[in-house]
Amino acid sequence: SATGSGFQSYRLQRGKGLNPTNWEQITPDETEPVVNGQLGVWDTTDLNGLYTLQLLVMYRDQQVETAIVQVIIDNLPPQVSVRYPLDNESFSSDEFKTITFLVEATDDLDLASVAYFLDGISIGSIASPPFVIPWEPISGKHTLLVRASDRAGNSSETQINFTVEE
């Protein structure tokens, strides 16, 4: 809300970090009071990291009220790669009774999970490292797709192909 006796205008602005030294105005000075409503729209598409939002409410007697809130913006997807097996690697079912899928996944803020799909079928999901899943080989050509997701809903995926020969 931005209202009160003697209300003149309000402004919504942002700054990078916990204690910004520079502020960027998000809305022009608005002269209509707002009660339990939308104060402005902030496009965060190209932003990432910690920001501070500041609401300034100005009154006709030159008094200014300030409200501040910190927000974390996460627009970067996790990084994910399959470390084992290698793309296009071949295995002999006589030699390998188990193949352990090894994945490396990281996120700049908070990784939620790594999901494994073999030939389009989910074979498991892991929430914290080490990101490994053992699998009993089945002869044939296979595709392993791995999807890493962060807590903000961003995700990325990668896939490899491998063959198990009889």
Side-chain angles (χ1 to χ4, degrees), residues 7 118 141 148:
F7 172 86
L118 186 64
K141 293 183 182 227

Side-chain angles (χ1 to χ4, degrees), residues 7-151:
F7 172 86
Q8 181 178 343
S9 64
Y10 75 88
R11 172 186 307 169
L12 191 60
Q13 51 192 25
R14 71 169 173 125
K16 181 115 173 93
L18 186 60
N19 295 305
T21 55
N22 295 313
W23 295 94
E24 180 180 321
Q25 198 165 334
I26 296 172
T27 63
D29 287 357
E30 300 287 348
T31 57
E32 292 296 320
V34 175
V35 177
N36 294 325
Q38 181 174 300
L39 296 170
V41 175
W42 179 26
D43 182 6
T44 62
T45 304
D46 296 326
L47 303 178
N48 208 60
L50 177 65
Y51 284 82
T52 300
L53 286 177
Q54 183 180 61
L55 171 64
L56 301 170
V57 180
M58 284 74 73
Y59 297 91
R60 286 191 278 282
D61 64 1
Q62 305 302 309
Q63 188 178 358
V64 177
E65 286 186 9
T66 304
I68 292 177
V69 64
Q70 279 82 30
V71 294
I72 295 175
I73 300 169
D74 184 358
N75 286 315
L76 294 177
Q79 300 292 312
V80 62
S81 63
V82 176
R83 294 294 182 205
Y84 188 82
L86 300 175
D87 193 25
N88 297 314
E89 190 166 357
S90 291
F91 299 92
S92 166
S93 59
D94 292 336
E95 278 185 62
F96 291 88
K97 301 302 179 202
T98 301
I99 297 173
T100 301
F101 301 129
L102 172 61
V103 169
E104 184 177 316
T106 59
D107 188 65
D108 64 323
L109 294 174
D110 198 10
L111 194 63
S113 68
V114 174
Y116 294 73
F117 300 88
L118 186 64
D119 301 326
I121 298 169
S122 174
I123 60 169
S125 181
I126 300 174
S128 60
F131 300 111
V132 295
I133 287 187
W135 175 71
E136 291 183 27
I138 298 171
S139 296
K141 293 183 182 227
H142 300 283
T143 300
L144 175 66
L145 181 134
V146 181
R147 180 179 304 122
S149 302
D150 67 17
R151 298 211 183 275

